[in-house]
Amino acid sequence: MTETAPKDEVADDGPARRRRILADLTPLRTSPDYRRLWFGNTVSWIGQGMTALAVSLQVYDITGSAFSVGLIGFCSFLPLVVFGLYGGAVADTFDRRKLGLASAVGSFVLSVVLLAAALADVEQVGLLYAIVALQAACFAVNAPARSSMIARLLPAEQLPAANALNSITSTTGTLVGPMLGGLLVGWWGYRAAYSVDVVTFTASLYAMWRLPSMRPERKEGPGAGRASVADGLRFLGARPNLRMTFLTDLCAMVLAHPRALFPVVAVVWFGGDAKTTGLLVAAPALGALLGGVFSGWLGRVRRHGLAVLLAVASWGTAIALFGLTRQLWLGLLFLVLAGCADTTSMVFRNTMLQAAVPDEMRGRLQGVFIVVVAGGPRLGDFLAGSVSDLASPAVAVTGGGLACVLAVSLLGLRWRGFARYDAKDPQP
């Protein structure tokens, strides 16, 4: 007679299988503080995405200049770099909950100023630039504090799942926010988009308000009351595994980041127009979102360093193949796969930064993470545009993808211990 599994095991097999495939929601179930923080951030990210598009549209309406719109990115870049580093140092000195709340209040006030200016029909490009720069500064201070809290709210084994859920937050904001922003601006004007942003931001404020006090766990001794950027950089320089998390990301974002060429290849390769460009821009974000949704398997991976190396090499391979195809559907597929690989890399790199870094250094390392995330793609845009002008878009895209694979392979061979990194014994 064939044995059958107990009824309760049979009943549980389906949900268990789905949990192995879909995003692991355990952090949301076990930690009310993390659940509130995740929900608040998701809602506010969508609102901020709406505002980002609305500001771009408003600047173009006022000036009629694409260059003026491009200056918005420049206005946000410098504050992200400067305040990312120093914001991380502040997060390692003061209560992170208070710092996160203060910077969130600052962003909320700036959103209110945007709304007030729209209601008063103030059309000053300089004001919009100033608000964008200040918003970037607030974000650069808030992000290290918020990211440093996660390792205190959850056990180490739940960090990959939490970072996968955080990736869903950011990619949802990137995809849904601008889409809703465009609809609201088209139907009811800028005031509507800014009003929704103000309302949605209250969710993030509430979540931060409900968190417990979270002062950094600092060691006693000389200099214990301060946290310097230089000390954080020296700490990073002496920790090969942590250093590799940044170097591998730079391989992908600098060498194989074809975003700046999308308007060109949309026309030259695929015979399309602005709509085609929009599809190319959305495809990696869609892939990143799918990577987060179907991330249940990530929690079972112990060799995080090896996973990062393979994910970054997969990104480079997908970008290189994108540069070889002239079929739009196939090109979009490769970009979606690249986005999935990027999410995998991000989840494990973030987990390593949270698990292998002592609490007193987490803010500064997260600050460096912000600088790399902000600066890497912009350097990649410059490199891709330069190579495209000197050679061709195909050389820039395919060559960049292959260069990424080669560079990350050489890094893996140079620091072999990174591939042996074990989540059960995290070593920086």
Side-chain angles (χ1 to χ4, degrees):
M1 181 181 296
T2 303
E3 293 184 3
T4 58
K7 185 179 296 185
D8 55 344
E9 290 184 14
V10 173
D12 289 342
D13 185 63
R17 184 179 295 110
R18 286 194 293 273
R19 283 197 298 271
R20 289 195 293 268
I21 298 174
L22 299 178
D24 185 357
L25 304 182
T26 302
L28 298 177
R29 291 195 298 267
T30 60
S31 173
D33 287 326
Y34 176 76
R35 182 167 62 245
R36 283 189 293 266
L37 192 64
W38 182 84
F39 177 77
N41 288 337
T42 300
V43 173
S44 64
W45 263 84
I46 294 174
Q48 290 288 283
M50 294 168 52
T51 291
L53 181 71
V55 168
S56 298
L57 293 173
Q58 190 172 10
V59 168
Y60 187 75
D61 279 350
I62 295 171
T63 65
S65 166
F67 176 77
S68 297
V69 176
L71 284 178
I72 296 174
F74 179 77
C75 290
S76 64
F77 175 66
L78 288 179
L80 282 173
V81 171
V82 174
F83 286 91
L85 290 174
Y86 285 94
V90 175
D92 285 339
T93 304
F94 300 103
D95 187 331
R96 289 163 179 162
R97 179 253 183 189
K98 293 181 179 178
L99 180 63
L101 183 60
S103 53
V105 168
S107 295
F108 174 75
V109 170
L110 291 168
S111 295
V112 173
V113 172
L114 269 178
L115 174 59
L119 291 172
D121 292 323
V122 176
E123 295 187 344
Q124 295 291 331
V125 175
L127 175 63
L128 296 176
Y129 287 158
I131 291 174
V132 167
L134 291 172
Q135 284 179 328
C138 289
F139 173 82
V141 173
N142 182 273
R146 187 177 64 246
S147 298
S148 302
M149 296 176 189
I150 295 175
R152 299 271 291 272
L153 297 175
L154 298 168
E157 62 270 15
Q158 293 183 21
L159 292 178
N163 287 314
L165 291 170
N166 293 341
S167 75
I168 294 176
T169 291
S170 59
T171 50
T172 298
T174 301
L175 284 171
V176 178
M179 180 181 67
L180 293 178
L183 292 174
L184 286 175
V185 170
W187 289 339
W188 297 297
Y190 305 110
R191 300 172 183 176
Y194 297 148
S195 296
V196 173
D197 183 28
V198 169
V199 173
T200 56
F201 219 102
T202 58
S204 180
L205 290 176
Y206 174 75
M208 199 68 71
W209 176 266
R210 289 290 305 274
L211 289 174
S213 176
M214 222 170 292
R215 294 192 64 85
E217 297 173 352
R218 300 188 60 80
K219 297 178 181 178
E220 299 297 329
R226 62 178 177 84
S228 71
V229 174
D231 287 343
L233 294 177
R234 280 193 291 268
F235 175 85
L236 176 61
R239 272 63 179 188
N241 285 337
L242 298 179
R243 191 168 62 245
M244 277 286 286
T245 64
F246 295 107
L247 293 176
T248 52
D249 188 45
L250 287 173
C251 288
M253 294 298 100
V254 176
L255 298 176
H257 196 257
R259 178 183 60 187
L261 302 181
F262 284 163
V264 176
V265 303
V267 176
V268 176
W269 292 358
F270 304 119
D273 52 16
K275 295 178 182 178
T276 308
T277 302
L279 290 175
L280 296 176
V281 171
L286 176 61
L289 179 60
L290 292 175
V293 171
F294 296 99
S295 60
W297 61 277
L298 297 181
R300 299 192 300 277
V301 177
R302 288 181 55 178
R303 301 280 291 278
H304 289 182
L306 179 60
V308 170
L309 293 173
L310 293 175
V312 174
S314 298
W315 163 278
T317 301
I319 295 300
L321 292 173
F322 168 72
L324 295 175
T325 184
R326 297 299 178 266
Q327 296 292 325
L328 178 59
W329 69 269
L330 190 57
L332 293 174
L333 175 61
F334 287 135
L335 291 178
V336 168
L337 294 175
C340 288
D342 186 45
T343 290
T344 302
S345 168
M346 183 278 298
V347 166
F348 289 122
R349 285 185 292 108
N350 246 334
T351 301
M352 293 172 73
L353 287 176
Q354 292 161 345
V357 177
D359 186 70
E360 63 179 13
M361 284 285 179
R362 282 187 185 131
R364 279 166 284 185
L365 270 293
Q366 289 295 333
V368 175
F369 181 82
I370 290 174
V371 173
V372 171
V373 169
R378 287 168 173 82
L379 290 175
D381 289 341
F382 174 78
L383 180 62
S386 300
V387 174
S388 178
D389 283 346
L390 293 173
S392 69
V395 171
V397 177
T398 299
L402 295 176
C404 170
V405 175
L406 176 61
V408 77
S409 300
L410 292 175
L411 286 174
L413 292 173
R414 173 62 180 83
W415 287 285
R416 297 174 184 269
F418 184 68
R420 296 192 295 270
Y421 177 94
D422 190 339
K424 297 294 183 181
D425 182 28
Q427 297 296 322

